[in-house]
Amino acid sequence: QVQLVESGGGSVQAGESLRPSCTYSGVTYSPAYMGWFRQEPGKEREGVAAINRGGNTYYADSVKGRFTISQDNAKNTLYLQMNSLKPEDTAMYYCAADDVWKPMDWLLRGDKYRYWGQGTQVTVSS
């Protein structure tokens, strides 16, 4: 069973950067798929970025060119580099992992991930 713990959220001004991280444990290998999702109160969860074990990445259109997902297997850690942050990026950010094969266009579907962290809050003010 994979355990996920996020950290690195915070409050910033529009245009600034943050790099949340997600440390995974309980496994001796990196999960086949890992992703970042976000959710604001009262809104649906949104897939932000995902990466597979081969290093292929997938992004929501709303963050392309601003966010970068990466993985450091030596540290069992997943990162989300967020640049040029906007107020609409404000949300709770969750890390997710799964090992079941899925096509690339499923990577941002939260219902396709089995393991979830507790989340880290990101707040961007204008």
Side-chain angles (χ1 to χ4, degrees):
Q1 177 138 353
V2 182
Q3 288 88 46
L4 305 170
V5 178
E6 302 96 333
S7 62
S11 297
V12 297
Q13 298 287 321
E16 294 184 342
S17 300
L18 279 173
R19 192 180 75 154
S21 60
C22 170
T23 301
Y24 52 90
S25 60
V27 291
T28 57
Y29 53 87
S30 63
Y33 303 93
M34 296 196 74
W36 286 98
F37 294 78
R38 64 188 182 187
Q39 189 171 22
E40 292 182 76
K43 295 188 178 181
E44 289 191 3
R45 181 177 54 200
E46 175 190 16
V48 175
I51 187 168
N52 66 12
R53 191 178 285 147
N56 297 302
T57 57
Y58 199 70
Y59 297 93
D61 288 342
S62 59
V63 305
K64 281 181 182 176
R66 300 189 298 123
F67 290 11
T68 302
I69 188 171
S70 63
Q71 195 168 10
D72 185 337
N73 292 330
K75 297 182 178 181
N76 284 11
T77 302
L78 180 76
Y79 300 100
L80 184 66
Q81 179 66 47
M82 305 191 295
N83 297 330
S84 302
L85 282 162
K86 305 175 181 180
E88 51 263 44
D89 294 319
T90 295
M92 184 72 78
Y93 281 72
Y94 298 92
C95 171
D98 197 74
D99 278 320
V100 176
W101 180 89
K102 48 184 69 48
M104 288 296 288
D105 58 357
W106 282 12
L107 294 191
L108 296 185
R109 288 182 55 174
D111 62 328
K112 300 303 181 182
Y113 287 80
R114 180 177 180 184
Y115 303 105
W116 291 85
Q118 296 299 308
T120 186
Q121 178 68 36
V122 171
T123 303
V124 185
S125 56
S126 58

